Amino acid sequence: MASISRRLALLALPVLAVVACGAATGDSSATPKPGADKPAASVSDELGHVKGDPDAPITLIEYASPTCGACKFWHDTVQPVIYEKYIATGKVKLVYREFPLNEIDIAAYSMARCAPTENYFDVISDLFENQQGVILAAQNGVAKTALLTIGQEYGIKDMAALDACLTDKDIRTELADVFATAEAFGVNGTPTFVLDGKVRNFEGDYRTPEGFSKQIDALLAEKGVQ
């Protein structure tokens, strides 16, 4: 029932009131529920956006928000190293899952899903690159203008096209379905990682390229992967 509630809550949120959202500038680091270090319930990784070999021996699921400062730090600092060492080499499959914290996130992810599928991760990168500008625009009541500036690079030509993205019921349902998967892992903040079936918070080893690599190397060694 809880996962259904999450899904319905996301479906019920307004498309974009274009107001400043506290979660966009506050502490958005994840705090998994007790027992998060235990193997989590199995959830299909078909929901989400995949980087890497779909048959890679290790799956890394990332729950993220485009207005989350910690998510931007991981995206800018840690993920490039993980991508080069493990994702591009076929050792890790990354499943990126949208976990919107506020109305701005919902609008941003709706826009990203409107772009051509092959450009999805490029849109996400641009959202992180322009994170502060988008948040500032939201605080000044012009979030849609900031999002359109990004979206125009990917075929969303004008405000009417952006509005169509933001009001697309299919996109909202897709986002709600992805959001609901977080319940099985006890996700309540971002970024949260599920590495080889276990929930990991954004702390300790998981905050640095070296530390994250150490955890992946240990799992690869267990699986006999060089």
Side-chain angles (χ1 to χ4, degrees), residues 1 8 22 41-42 54 60 75 81 87 104 126 145 151 172 181 204:
M1 291 298 294
L8 292 177
S42 176
L60 170 62
H75 180 273
V81 175
I87 299 172
I104 305 169
D126 278 355
T145 300
R172 182 62 69 90
T181 67

Side-chain angles (χ1 to χ4, degrees), residues 11-163:
L11 284 168
L13 281 172
V15 173
L16 184 63
V18 197
V19 296
C21 300
T25 55
D27 181 8
S28 55
S29 59
T31 306
K33 295 178 180 178
D37 285 344
K38 298 178 181 178
S42 176
V43 175
S44 171
D45 58 17
E46 293 302 315
L47 289 175
H49 304 267
V50 177
K51 277 186 179 182
D53 185 347
D55 297 319
I58 291 177
T59 295
L60 170 62
I61 300 173
E62 175 190 3
Y63 286 93
S65 150
T67 58
C68 159
C71 296
K72 174 176 170 57
F73 176 86
W74 195 86
H75 180 273
D76 294 346
T77 306
V78 183
Q79 184 187 219
V81 175
I82 302 305
Y83 180 85
E84 181 178 354
K85 292 176 65 175
Y86 305 106
I87 299 172
T89 57
K91 296 177 180 179
V92 170
K93 172 179 64 177
L94 173 66
V95 181
Y96 183 93
R97 287 182 175 165
E98 297 109 332
F99 193 84
L101 299 175
N102 50 61
E103 297 167 24
I104 305 169
D105 286 350
I106 294 172
Y109 278 143
S110 295
M111 180 192 68
R113 281 180 172 264
C114 262
T117 303
E118 63 271 18
N119 293 137
Y120 178 84
F121 283 111
D122 294 328
V123 178
I124 297 303
S125 291
D126 278 355
L127 286 168
F128 280 126
E129 182 178 349
N130 295 283
Q131 184 184 85
Q132 289 304 311
V134 171
I135 292 173
L136 181 61
Q139 292 170 342
N140 288 289
V142 290
K144 288 202 295 185
T145 300
L147 292 177
L148 178 59
T149 300
I150 296 171
Q152 285 177 327
E153 298 294 322
Y154 304 98
I156 301 171
K157 60 182 181 179
D158 54 28
M159 192 62 73
L162 178 62
D163 284 338

Side-chain angles (χ1 to χ4, degrees), residues 176-223:
D177 288 344
V178 171
F179 189 74
T181 67
E183 187 68 30
F185 299 116
V187 177
N188 57 17
T190 58
T192 295
F193 306 100
V194 184
L195 180 58
D196 206 35
K198 292 185 178 181
V199 178
R200 296 292 183 238
N201 195 6
F202 182 66
E203 61 184 14
D205 280 346
Y206 299 94
R207 295 178 62 93
T208 68
E210 298 79 12
F212 217 118
S213 295
K214 181 177 72 174
Q215 297 296 328
I216 293 175
D217 286 340
L219 289 171
L220 290 171
E222 290 177 8
K223 297 175 183 290

